[in-house]
Amino acid sequence: MNYCERTRIFSMAHRALIHLPHCHAAKLKLELTNVTITSLFSTLCHHPTTTLPPQPPPSPRKLPFTVSVHGRTWEDPYHWMSNTDDPHLLEHLNRENSYADAFMADTLKLRSQLSSEMKARLPPSICTPPERWGPWLYYQYIPEGKEYPVMCRKLETERSGWMNTFLHRHGMAGSKREEVLLDWNELAEKYGYVHVGTCRVSPDHNYLAYTVDISGGERFMLQVKDLRSGLHDPNIEVDDVVSLAWARDASSLFYTQSDENQRPYRVLCRKLGCDLVNDLPIFTESDSSFCVDITSTKDGKFITVNSNSRTSSEVYVIDSTNPMDGLQRLCERTSGVQYFVEHHSSLFYILTNAPLPDGQWSGEEYYLVRCRVEDIESPKLQTIILPDKDTSLCDMDIFNGHLVLFLNKKGLPLLCSLNLPFEIDFKNQVYIQDLKPWYFPLPLNTCSSVPGSNHDFLNTVYRVVLSSPVMPDVIADYDMSRQTYSIVHQEEVNCDSAGQSRIPPFELINNPIQEACIESKESASHSDSQRWKDFSEVYCCKREEVVSHDGVKVPLTIVYSREFWQKGQSPGILVGYGAYGEDLDKSWCSDRLSLLDRGWVVAFADVRGGGGGGRSWHKSGSGLNKHNSISDFVSCGNYLVNEGYIRKDHLGAVGWSAGCLLVGATINMYPQLFRAAILKVPFLDVCNTLLDPSLPLTILDYEEFGNPQIQSNFDSIFSFSPYDNIPQDCCFPSVMVTSAVNDSRVGVWEGAKWVAKVRDSTCSRCSRAVIMKTSMVGGHFGEGGRYAQCDETAYEYAFFMKAFGMLNE
């Protein structure tokens, strides 16, 4: 998640209004001795010019605690911090906050200026384009001066022009009354903190089921609102609910519930209007390495119960018309094999990586199979589509007349549609290109393509949100029958003098079509009358390939101002994640202009372990291969300096959550590579966390990072665990750690322990430039809305500028 992720959640909030995107695959959230490192600093202290507070940093108490694993023994005097009920921990976190405030005191004016710039770029109000579903138009908007979205709908009337030019430019014109379904702002005022998880409108449009977290601990409570009366059902307040699915009768609501470790482990059904005291149990998963998720097929005819580990899955289906008939298993679990199911015309379409006989398929990437509904007792899977050469099949979506495929070719996203039903016998191997796909025209520099809700199975139009570091978010509708597209909306950016940006809105330029990855240019036909616009004449967005330690080429996206960047002189930051096969977010962020317009460079390293290169890219950077991620990140940092993109002593790093393992391990191994770093809700105490199976996510993470109960896994984990490898008596970068007391994914103690140990181990002056800022109310995903996010980002940018000695520049 980058600096603007929560802002994007609000500005593109329509993606979660009716239904989460039907993107099934997306549900699944050596030593470096041969890497040449250029010494970036002298042997003198890194921070001779950094202004430090007069008081020393906090010094927490130490208590004896010995850890012994596989014959290795070590002391962990800060183990006591993992007890979040210990009052000494809260006292220590408050002292750390006070020290951070003192350290950042001389940045107050700069932070105010940065925050003002960022807020000035935001439009006064934000509205998502309406999406049709049945007789209704559903949409969201953030009212002027408010932090959070309001979910709404209106009855549809005949419209001309695109929805009466977006309902009279967001005035939502017309005589039909607007209905407010859910107002986040009211919830925030009531509870102080709010995080709405899942929202599902019933098939008859009469009920809204949603989950809400009011603590930041991701303990979501289920509530159901009658949209006709506007009243909530007082009998439905179920805790620890994660996913939801309605049956076709609109009165049977299926949901998953978490255990004490926040693992969704069972499915229950609530019958609205029924006097039953207890909800009906449907399915329970006893294997603690598997989580349960439910969803509806696009046509609404089946509910799928998916039991998933990080690498394996099993799928059951429920007849949505007769939901009390029980469930049937469609796909049996096999180690290393995953399945994602849709339904169309009495056929199940299944995305899988199951190995094929005779070596036809290795099991590394996905392909598409199908089977008849009547064969569910002994499913005979028919292989129908294999991806083309150098292309990964990442996901699918399905409509009455079309199948949409999400592809990745050489690290770049592609989308295409295929006509249904298929007019081919599939007796021989069939590749995507054999089915005459229509490739969606995409902007040339697209880094992100996220589907809209696309809830209507009968629709022929597919909605996608497109974005890049130099292109504000575009909402595009692709007409799969006519093979044309239209631009529905593009995010507004106020680039006036108050926003301190050099680019007025009229300097947005047309962005050419991405055709380099498409074999047939005819398949990229498009409407010349409409083009997305971007800032590529003002800001450069380059994609380089960096050679890592083993010769593998790592994608590196580099963004800078064409006017203010100076070769060999500009400061910059490198962002990385590299875990769970997740794509690194490189979407548009208007806050970033405050760095680019000051001559900074922002770079994104798509290291192994993350997404962008299919399952094999993820696998080659996880488990025993985790060192590859670190090598990739090091190579990208060196490339930025050696090629003159960033000044040799002005490179910073940013990691978030599991991405902090990447940054933290790199800092330990090469403390002179970065001048400063920001570690947000950091996963740093990796070995100790994975040794404690009672913690949320620990068992699930064995497939991602390894199980330390196995010695080979332990040796690998212990070799890169940031907390266990802090170098002794050396100069260290300035680091800001952010955390949250209610974070249930990464314990607040991970950052606190790491900061304390850094101060014990490294240069006494350097370690005084290591600070920790803890939220006392939020959780893993932060707190506050779009304006509060500007303040948080301004704080982070100001930290970098101070650490680089640039407060007065």
Side-chain angles (χ1 to χ4, degrees):
M1 181 176 289
N2 70 6
Y3 290 111
C4 272
E5 179 62 15
R6 284 187 62 83
T7 303
R8 280 179 52 74
I9 289 172
F10 302 140
S11 65
M12 294 295 124
H14 72 287
R15 299 198 293 256
L17 171 57
I18 309 304
H19 203 282
L20 291 177
H22 262 80
C23 282
H24 303 281
K27 289 172 187 169
L28 300 182
K29 0 173 288 306
L30 51 146
E31 295 297 335
L32 301 179
T33 54
N34 55 346
V35 179
T36 301
I37 298 298
T38 302
S39 179
L40 302 184
F41 297 113
S42 71
T43 56
L44 299 177
C45 180
H46 289 187
H47 314 288
T49 60
T50 302
T51 304
L52 300 173
Q55 72 268 36
S59 180
R61 63 176 182 166
K62 296 181 180 181
L63 299 178
F65 187 83
T66 301
V67 185
S68 294
V69 183
H70 299 299
R72 187 188 301 233
T73 300
W74 67 95
E75 296 300 316
D76 185 10
Y78 299 119
H79 174 81
W80 65 269
M81 292 185 181
S82 60
N83 178 11
T84 54
D85 293 326
D86 190 327
H88 291 92
L89 176 63
L90 187 60
E91 293 172 6
H92 174 66
L93 295 176
N94 282 322
R95 288 196 298 270
E96 287 284 9
N97 279 347
S98 297
Y99 183 77
D101 289 342
F103 181 87
M104 294 291 289
D106 55 352
T107 68
L108 186 59
K109 182 178 179 181
L110 174 61
R111 280 149 47 195
S112 177
Q113 179 182 351
L114 290 169
S115 181
S116 295
E117 292 173 14
M118 295 170 189
K119 292 174 182 177
R121 294 189 195 105
L122 300 176
S125 61
I126 298 173
C127 187
T128 63
E131 289 202 48
R132 292 188 185 92
W133 181 27
W136 295 94
L137 297 174
Y138 288 88
Y139 56 95
Q140 295 191 32
Y141 72 96
I142 302 179
E144 184 170 354
K146 295 292 186 178
E147 294 272 16
Y148 301 106
V150 180
M151 304 178 182
C152 304
R153 70 179 182 182
K154 295 181 72 169
L155 280 172
E156 183 184 14
T157 57
E158 286 297 320
R159 301 285 178 185
S160 60
W162 199 91
M163 205 75 72
N164 269 359
T165 312
F166 196 179
L167 300 184
H168 291 184
R169 284 294 179 191
H170 317 332
M172 316 312 288
S175 59
K176 299 297 182 181
R177 181 174 61 90
E178 176 180 87
E179 296 185 10
V180 174
L181 309 186
L182 189 64
D183 187 339
W184 282 32
N185 298 284
E186 290 183 358
L187 294 173
E189 291 173 7
K190 180 178 180 181
Y191 298 113
Y193 173 90
V194 61
H195 178 186
V196 176
T198 303
C199 292
R200 295 289 184 269
V201 174
S202 61
D204 62 1
H205 303 271
N206 288 334
Y207 297 96
L208 171 67
Y210 67 95
T211 63
V212 60
D213 168 30
I214 58 174
S215 71
E218 296 184 73
R219 294 283 186 178
F220 290 91
M221 178 175 62
L222 170 64
Q223 298 198 343
V224 176
K225 181 178 180 180
D226 188 326
L227 300 180
R228 296 162 297 185
S229 66
L231 301 176
H232 285 80
D233 189 333
N235 298 316
I236 304 179
E237 288 189 354
V238 185
D239 292 325
D240 299 321
V241 173
V242 181
S243 55
L244 306 169
W246 289 96
R248 299 189 86 176
D249 61 12
S251 63
S252 301
L253 177 61
F254 291 81
Y255 63 91
T256 59
Q257 194 170 39
S258 296
D259 61 15
E260 63 277 3
N261 279 345
Q262 294 187 261
R263 176 181 70 95
Y265 78 108
R266 65 175 181 171
V267 179
L268 298 101
C269 181
R270 165 63 64 98
K271 193 78 172 177
L272 270 61
C274 181
D275 294 332
L276 288 175
V277 176
N278 297 316
D279 292 345
L280 182 65
I282 303 297
F283 175 80
T284 299
E285 175 56 72
S286 58
D287 188 333
S288 57
S289 65
F290 280 71
C291 293
V292 181
D293 172 70
I294 55 171
T295 188
S296 299
T297 57
K298 177 64 73 71
D299 60 6
K301 292 185 178 180
F302 291 91
I303 294 169
T304 62
V305 177
N306 314 285
S307 191
N308 309 304
S309 72
R310 299 285 190 198
T311 61
S312 308
S313 64
E314 185 171 52
V315 182
Y316 297 80
V317 294
I318 298 171
D319 185 340
S320 187
T321 304
N322 302 293
M324 296 300 106
D325 285 354
L327 48 75
Q328 293 179 287
R329 185 167 63 187
L330 174 61
C331 303
E332 186 175 0
R333 77 181 61 178
T334 302
S335 179
V337 176
Q338 294 178 309
Y339 304 95
F340 308 97
V341 176
E342 261 297 353
H343 176 263
H344 183 279
S345 300
S346 299
L347 290 167
F348 288 117
Y349 286 77
I350 305 168
L351 199 64
T352 184
N353 66 319
L356 290 173
D358 303 323
Q360 300 176 67
W361 198 251
S362 65
E364 285 292 328
E365 306 294 346
Y366 294 113
Y367 62 97
L368 195 63
V369 301
R370 69 182 181 185
C371 75
R372 297 183 301 176
V373 170
E374 57 264 33
D375 293 336
I376 192 171
E377 293 294 337
S378 55
K380 301 174 183 178
L381 302 182
Q382 178 191 32
T383 302
I384 57 172
I385 298 178
L386 297 172
D388 298 321
K389 184 180 179 181
D390 297 327
T391 302
S392 298
L393 177 51
C394 305
D395 214 338
M396 68 171 175
D397 205 345
I398 203 162
F399 294 83
N400 186 50
H402 300 91
L403 175 68
V404 177
L405 299 179
F406 286 73
L407 310 169
N408 184 287
K409 186 166 186 176
K410 297 180 180 179
L412 296 174
L414 289 175
L415 292 91
C416 71
S417 65
L418 305 171
N419 293 335
L420 289 176
F422 294 127
E423 297 179 358
I424 192 170
D425 57 18
F426 295 105
K427 290 182 179 179
N428 300 311
Q429 286 187 357
V430 174
Y431 293 86
I432 296 173
Q433 205 61 35
D434 298 329
L435 298 170
K436 299 179 180 180
W438 177 54
Y439 285 95
F440 294 2
L442 299 176
L444 187 63
N445 58 14
T446 300
C447 290
S448 170
S449 56
V450 180
S453 61
N454 295 307
H455 191 78
D456 192 346
F457 177 71
L458 299 177
N459 205 349
T460 62
V461 175
Y462 196 73
R463 177 163 291 181
V464 182
V465 183
L466 306 170
S467 186
S468 86
V470 296
M471 185 181 74
D473 289 8
V474 171
I475 300 177
D477 281 354
Y478 292 90
D479 191 317
M480 297 177 286
S481 294
R482 299 178 180 179
Q483 296 193 356
T484 61
Y485 74 90
S486 59
I487 304 301
V488 177
H489 177 68
Q490 184 157 19
E491 182 180 328
E492 299 176 33
V493 182
N494 294 329
C495 298
D496 53 21
S497 58
Q500 296 296 311
S501 180
R502 302 338 195 246
I503 45 174
F506 58 79
E507 285 193 19
L508 283 165
I509 67 164
N510 288 333
N511 188 312
I513 299 294
Q514 173 181 304
E515 294 180 359
C517 292
I518 300 175
E519 307 250 343
S520 171
K521 291 189 178 182
E522 287 78 14
S523 63
S525 58
H526 59 276
S527 304
D528 288 327
S529 60
Q530 286 202 329
R531 287 289 185 93
W532 28 71
K533 301 179 186 300
D534 69 12
F535 292 128
S536 58
E537 285 191 349
V538 183
Y539 302 106
C540 180
C541 179
K542 301 176 67 175
R543 186 177 186 272
E544 303 285 2
E545 290 186 331
V546 177
V547 179
S548 191
H549 71 111
D550 54 358
V552 171
K553 295 180 179 179
V554 180
L556 177 65
T557 302
I558 307 170
V559 187
Y560 57 86
S561 166
R562 296 185 186 275
E563 180 179 356
F564 299 105
W565 172 71
Q566 298 180 45
K567 185 171 183 177
Q569 297 300 314
S570 285
I573 57 177
L574 179 62
V575 183
Y577 187 71
Y580 304 116
E582 293 291 334
D583 290 336
L584 185 62
D585 185 6
K586 299 181 287 292
S587 55
W588 168 259
C589 174
S590 63
D591 293 353
R592 200 179 292 131
L593 302 185
S594 290
L595 285 181
L596 301 180
D597 288 340
R598 288 172 169 83
W600 285 60
V601 176
V602 180
F604 304 88
D606 282 301
V607 303
R608 280 171 283 184
R615 285 174 49 85
S616 58
W617 190 256
H618 169 222
K619 187 176 180 179
S620 63
S622 61
L624 296 175
N625 298 315
K626 190 62 192 173
H627 276 285
N628 285 334
S629 302
I630 302 163
S631 293
D632 293 350
F633 199 66
V634 170
S635 297
C636 288
N638 277 315
Y639 180 89
L640 290 169
V641 173
N642 294 337
E643 296 299 317
Y645 285 104
I646 294 175
R647 179 177 163 182
K648 66 177 182 179
D649 57 348
H650 278 58
L651 174 62
V654 176
W656 182 83
S657 192
C660 296
L661 183 163
L662 176 74
V663 177
T666 301
I667 292 174
N668 285 342
M669 295 176 182
Y670 302 98
Q672 294 183 329
L673 181 57
F674 295 104
R675 178 73 171 264
I678 293 178
L679 307 178
K680 301 161 72 74
V681 289
F683 183 35
L684 296 169
D685 193 11
V686 179
C687 195
N688 286 319
T689 294
L690 293 176
L691 283 168
D692 187 352
S694 69
L695 294 174
L697 304 182
T698 289
I699 295 176
L700 300 173
D701 275 344
Y702 287 164
E703 289 183 312
E704 179 67 25
F705 303 107
N707 181 353
Q709 302 300 336
I710 301 170
Q711 178 148 6
S712 60
N713 287 193
F714 168 80
D715 291 341
S716 174
I717 294 166
F718 198 81
S719 71
F720 62 71
S721 174
Y723 179 69
D724 297 301
N725 290 278
I726 296 169
Q728 294 291 316
D729 303 320
C730 77
C731 284
F732 210 68
S734 295
V735 182
M736 181 173 79
V737 173
T738 68
S739 62
V741 292
N742 293 323
D743 190 340
S744 60
R745 293 176 182 250
V746 180
V748 66
W749 63 86
E750 299 224 11
K753 290 176 64 177
W754 184 85
V755 167
K757 193 171 180 181
V758 165
R759 295 201 184 117
D760 285 346
S761 306
T762 63
C763 164
S764 60
R765 180 175 176 85
C766 288
S767 64
R768 293 184 64 189
V770 175
I771 63 173
M772 181 172 182
K773 184 170 179 281
T774 302
S775 167
M776 299 300 178
V777 293
H780 193 68
F781 296 103
E783 57 178 299
R786 58 182 185 141
Y787 295 117
Q789 182 68 23
C790 291
D791 295 334
E792 180 179 326
T793 304
Y795 194 99
E796 293 166 0
Y797 287 2
F799 172 81
F800 272 129
M801 292 176 187
K802 171 168 179 159
F804 287 9
M806 302 175 64
L807 282 184
N808 298 320
E809 295 184 18

